[in-house]
Each structure stands twice: as C-alpha cells, then as structure tokens.
Amino acid sequence: SLDDDGAGGTRLALSGRLLLATIAPTERALARLSGPITAIDLSGVREIDTIGAWVISRTAHDHRAPVTGASPAAARLLAATDP
C-alpha cells in the first residue's frame, strides 16, 4: 500500500510473500511507481527470498528510499543484493 508520509512523499508498505514464485505482479507494480518514495516498509512481509530482496533493493536504490521493518533474515538478503 502507499501512504502519504505527511512531508510530500509516499511511504510504500509491502506485505505477504516476496518470492520468485510470487514477485512478478509486485515487480510490475513497483516499476510503475512515480513520484517520491520516502521509505519502503517491509514489516508486513512474511517471507522473502533473494529475488524478492533484489527487487526491493533495486526499488529502494532507484527511489533513494530507506527500507524499514525488515526482519533479520530479510536485512541480510537486502545487504547481499544492495546495488
């Protein structure tokens, strides 16, 4: 979901499973995002693999947005896939 951060930007909150088998619709939606993304919140993500982390890392890099709410396992994958 997209939430106004109150400072002229948008916070992106993701949830569910970000896995090779499920990431395609999310990746397409992320590619269509326009405007400033001020943060990407992963606190609702139940499961993530390397492909999911790569998609999130790329999106965060493209928008210069920090990733918040990542589990320890997700944080390790994000660090490994940081562009």
Side-chain angles (χ1 to χ4, degrees):
S1 71
L2 296 172
D3 302 312
D4 184 347
D5 72 357
T10 303
R11 184 181 70 87
L12 173 64
L14 297 172
S15 61
R17 299 170 56 189
L18 301 178
L19 306 170
L20 174 61
T22 61
I23 196 72
T26 302
E27 185 175 18
R28 285 191 296 271
L30 292 173
R32 290 190 302 267
L33 288 176
S34 63
I37 301 297
T38 56
I40 300 173
D41 180 6
L42 299 184
S43 60
V45 173
R46 293 184 323 228
E47 192 175 2
I48 189 168
D49 64 9
T50 305
I51 298 300
W54 180 80
V55 169
I56 299 308
S57 289
R58 187 187 67 208
T59 303
H61 179 265
D62 290 350
H63 290 272
R64 296 185 178 145
V67 176
T68 63
S71 69
R76 284 191 299 276
L77 288 172
L78 290 164
T81 58
D82 190 24

